[in-house]
Amino acid sequence: MTEPGIKDKTAIVGIGETRYYKRGAAPTPEFQLALEAILLAVEDAGLTVEQIDGFASYSNDRNDPTRLAAALGLPQIGFSNMFWGGGGGGGSGAVGNAAAAVAAGYAKYVVAYRSLAQGQFGRFGQGSQAKASTYPMSYTQPYGLLSPAQTFAMRVRRFMYDHNIGHDALAAISLASYHHAQFNPRAIMYGRPLSREDYDNARWIVEPFRLFDCCQENDGAAAVIVTTPERARDLRQKPAIIMAAAQGSFYRQGAPAHNAPDYGTSNFKGVAPLLYELAGIAPKDVQVAQVYENFTGGVLMSLVEHGFCSPDEANEFCTVENLTWPQGKLPINTSGGNLAECYMHGLELITEAVRQIRGTSTCQVQDCKISLVASGPMVSPVSSLILRA
Amino acid sequence: MTTKTMRDSYLPPGLPAPRPSPDGLDAPFWAAAKRHELLVQRCNACNGSQWGPEFICFRCRSFDLRWERVAGRGRIFSWERIWHPVHPALKDACPYLVVLVELPDADNVRMVGNLLGDAMQQVEIGGAVEAVFEDHPDEDFTLVQWRVVE
C-alpha cells in the first residue's frame, strides 16, 4: 500500500518564459505568447513537443488547452484543468493540479502555464467601465471601490491596525523586489533601482499603498513542465522535486461585500499549515521564498501566515536586511517578482523557485535545498508550493 | 428611526449603477434603500443576520430567510483613502474615502460605503457612524452612505 499524496512523486523539469514587456508592448498576440513559452519550456526540459499531454492554468486564462493542443499538433491530451478563482491565487495551484494529474497517471508531461497580455485585453488596474453592477459588485463598485488595490488595501489597513505594523515593513518588501531585479536582466525594472526616498516620495494609489507597493501591469507568458522524477532522469535539467502543494480558502473568505469573518488575512491560514504537513518540513527549513506581490501588504500577511514570523514580530522581521539576497534570513522574490521583474501573474515566481533549486538564479541562495512559493494573497482560493533539490 | 438624506452625490455620476441581482436574491434591499430603509437578511430558524445576502443561512443551513430593517448605525471596521482614479468618472474626484462599516445591531455584518465629509478628515477605526441615504433619482437607485456621528 503506497502512501496517499504527491510528496516527492513529481518534479518541475522545464521552465519557459517569453520576453517580458510593459503592458501594450508585446509584439505578438497573447495566444502566440502562450505557445512560445510552452515551446521554450519543452526545449529547456529536453522533451519533444509531442510528449506534452496535459495542461493546467488558473485565473480564467483565455488560452484554451484544446486550442493549444491542436495548434501544437499534440497526439492527445489526458488532462486539461482550470484552477477556479481570480488574481494569482492559482499559480501554485495549477502546478499542484499538474502534479496530481501526473501522480494519478492521467498524463505524463503536464504544462502549467499563464499567458497574459494586459495591453491587449484590458488592465487589471482599471475599474469596470460597465454601466451597471450586480451582486456582489453592486455593494462596492457604486462607491468607487473598483480595483484590486482598493479591494485589498481595506484588508491590509485592518491587519496593520490590529498588529500595530508600520510602513517600514511594506517599504522593505517593495525594496527587496527592486533590489533583486537589479541583478536580473529579464526584469522590467532592471537598471531602475528604487531607493527608500523614491518609495516614500511616490504618490499614493490608495492608502496604505503608494505606487511602489503595487504590482506592474505587463504582457508575457510563462510555462513549467511537470513529470515524475523517474522520467526526469532522461531529461536535460536537474529536477525541482515537488515536496508539497496545497490550495484552498479559509472559513467564509469568499463571503460577499467584505464579510469574511477573519478579515485582516492573506487567506493562507488553512493552506500553509497543510502545505508544511504534506511536505514534512517546518517554516525554518525554507531557504528562499517567492511570495506573490499583488501589493506589499499581501506579502506581509503571507509571510506571517506561512510561519516566518508572528504578526507581532512583523515589524522586526520585514526589513530590507532580512528579505534581501545574499545576507537575508529569508530572501524573497529573488528575480524581482511581480513588482519589479514582471507581473506574469505569479508564474514567474514559480520559474524563479525552480531556478533556486537548479542553482541558476541571478540572486542564487547558496546551497539552496528548499524553495517556497506563495500564490495570490487575499484572493479566494489561494495556493502554495514547496520545491526541493 | 431618523433617516438622513442628501441632495448631491458624494462621487460624480457615471460609476456602475447598482441593479438588483437577476436571480432576485437582493431585490428587497435595493427597493428598501429607495424608501430610506436599511435591510439585512435574517434567518427565521436561528435568527442570525448575514450580509451580503445568500439563499441559505451559513450558520444553520436553513433556506427560511427574511429581510429585517436595522438601525442605520455602525462602527468603522476599516477604511481607505483613494488617490488614484481607476474610472473616468473619478478623474477629478480624488481623494475620496471608502469605509467598511460593521453593524452592531445585526451581528456585526459589514457594509461598504463612502464616508461623507472632508476626504482628508482623520478616520478612526471603531468610530461611530450613521447611515445616510443618497438618492440617484435619474438612475432609479439609492446608495447607503455613512457619516461620523458627532
Side-chain angles (χ1 to χ4, degrees):
Chain A
M1 185 84 182
T2 54
E3 288 282 309
I6 63 160
K7 186 181 178 186
D8 300 340
K9 291 178 182 168
T10 62
I12 296 175
V13 295
I15 59 175
E17 292 163 293
T18 65
R19 199 186 134 191
Y20 291 143
Y21 302 94
K22 294 183 78 161
R23 72 177 152 75
T28 47
E30 187 182 80
F31 189 74
Q32 183 173 334
L33 293 170
L35 293 166
E36 289 172 10
I38 292 164
L39 292 176
L40 288 166
V42 166
E43 187 188 346
D44 176 70
L47 287 164
T48 61
V49 182
E50 289 80 3
Q51 289 174 285
I52 299 301
D53 60 354
F55 292 96
S57 190
Y58 56 102
S59 204
N60 299 313
D61 190 286
R62 280 174 286 262
N63 305 289
D64 181 275
T66 58
R67 183 180 170 196
L68 290 167
L72 293 168
L74 301 185
Q76 61 175 332
I77 57 172
F79 190 63
S80 54
N81 171 263
M82 173 58 66
F83 183 99
W84 283 75
S92 293
V95 175
N97 289 346
V102 167
Y106 296 158
K108 291 186 169 67
Y109 300 94
V110 179
V111 175
Y113 68 100
R114 184 78 178 104
S115 184
L116 178 61
Q118 293 200 42
Q120 295 167 19
F121 290 96
R123 302 169 53 185
F124 288 176
Q126 291 293 297
S128 166
Q129 309 285 307
K131 289 229 174 307
S133 56
T134 56
Y135 177 97
M137 286 82 77
S138 50
Y139 307 137
T140 52
Q141 290 182 349
Y143 303 98
L145 199 171
L146 297 144
S147 71
Q150 296 162 0
T151 300
F152 300 131
M154 199 85 98
R155 279 185 185 254
V156 171
R157 163 86 65 195
R158 182 69 202 198
F159 180 82
M160 292 174 77
Y161 169 84
D162 284 340
H163 301 289
N164 201 20
I165 292 168
H167 248 94
D168 289 354
L170 302 188
I173 289 162
S174 178
L175 293 172
S177 289
Y178 274 83
H179 171 75
H180 295 139
Q182 304 318 308
F183 300 91
N184 176 7
R186 297 180 310 277
I188 303 282
M189 297 300 174
Y190 179 65
R192 298 176 64 185
L194 182 73
S195 69
R196 178 60 197 261
E197 194 181 13
D198 297 334
Y199 172 90
D200 286 335
N201 290 338
R203 63 196 168 93
W204 287 114
I205 300 301
V206 44
E207 294 175 47
F209 300 150
R210 294 184 185 276
L211 180 63
F212 297 111
D213 292 301
C214 304
C215 61
Q216 310 172 69
E217 297 168 308
N218 300 102
D219 297 351
V224 301
I225 298 173
V226 177
T227 191
T228 61
E230 290 73 28
R231 293 188 198 108
R233 285 191 204 119
D234 301 328
L235 300 177
R236 183 174 293 155
Q237 305 289 350
K238 174 182 174 182
I241 306 290
I242 298 174
M243 289 189 90
Q247 56 179 272
S249 190
F250 208 55
Y251 178 63
R252 300 197 76 232
Q253 284 296 312
H258 295 244
N259 273 267
D262 182 9
Y263 187 67
T265 172
S266 55
N267 196 15
F268 282 109
K269 287 186 182 172
V271 167
L274 177 62
L275 179 78
Y276 290 121
E277 183 190 327
L278 293 172
I281 65 163
K284 65 173 170 48
D285 300 321
V286 174
Q287 291 166 278
V288 61
Q290 314 302 323
V291 187
Y292 190 102
E293 329 105 295
N294 34 18
F295 308 99
T296 51
V299 178
L300 169 74
M301 297 189 289
S302 300
L303 291 170
V304 167
E305 289 171 21
H306 281 83
F308 298 119
C309 65
S310 74
D312 298 328
E313 293 163 344
N315 285 321
E316 291 136 57
F317 183 80
C318 292
T319 63
V320 175
E321 293 68 32
N322 281 346
L323 301 180
T324 52
W325 175 85
Q327 82 293 336
K329 276 185 199 160
L330 183 73
I332 64 166
N333 303 330
T334 46
S335 67
N338 284 326
L339 294 180
E341 183 186 30
C342 172
Y343 183 78
M344 200 50 259
H345 227 178
L347 205 59
E348 90 289 353
L349 301 176
I350 290 165
T351 55
E352 174 65 9
V354 171
R355 279 189 292 266
Q356 287 288 356
I357 295 299
R358 289 182 179 179
T360 58
S361 171
T362 48
C363 294
Q364 181 60 47
V365 169
Q366 209 175 353
D367 197 25
C368 183
K369 294 279 194 290
I370 294 188
S371 167
L372 179 144
V373 185
S375 303
M378 304 180 281
V379 298
S380 178
V382 295
S383 56
S384 301
L385 180 69
I386 296 176
L387 304 177
R388 72 164 173 82
Chain B
M1 190 185 308
T2 59
T3 61
K4 312 276 181 182
T5 62
M6 58 190 294
R7 251 201 314 273
D8 298 319
S9 61
Y10 178 76
L11 294 174
L15 292 170
R19 297 294 175 218
S21 174
D23 58 18
L25 180 58
D26 63 358
F29 171 80
W30 293 109
K34 284 196 276 187
R35 302 191 304 269
H36 294 186
E37 293 176 9
L38 185 61
L39 301 190
V40 300
Q41 212 179 24
R42 199 143 191 193
C43 177
N44 281 324
C46 74
N47 220 30
S49 300
Q50 64 183 17
W51 188 256
E54 193 44 276
F55 290 102
I56 193 168
C57 169
F58 75 85
R59 292 183 181 84
C60 74
R61 288 92 192 182
S62 170
F63 287 98
D64 186 12
L65 298 155
R66 68 179 185 273
W67 288 93
E68 187 158 284
R69 189 172 179 185
V70 295
R73 58 173 180 247
R75 286 187 304 249
I76 295 173
F77 184 79
S78 192
W79 66 280
E80 60 191 11
R81 185 177 288 117
I82 295 174
W83 291 85
H84 176 68
V86 298
H87 191 284
L90 299 170
K91 196 165 69 69
D92 300 314
C94 291
Y96 58 94
L97 290 169
V98 179
V99 282
L100 184 57
V101 172
E102 57 179 4
L103 307 183
D105 298 325
D107 295 315
N108 290 329
V109 299
R110 299 181 204 131
M111 291 189 177
V112 170
N114 297 117
L115 185 66
L116 304 182
D118 183 358
M120 295 308 292
Q121 67 187 283
Q122 195 175 335
V123 185
E124 302 284 354
I125 288 179
V129 289
E130 61 186 357
V132 178
F133 292 90
E134 182 185 284
D135 293 324
H136 292 247
D138 296 346
E139 294 194 83
D140 195 32
F141 68 84
T142 294
L143 295 180
V144 182
Q145 303 284 28
W146 301 90
R147 84 170 146 217
V148 171
V149 177
E150 297 299 335

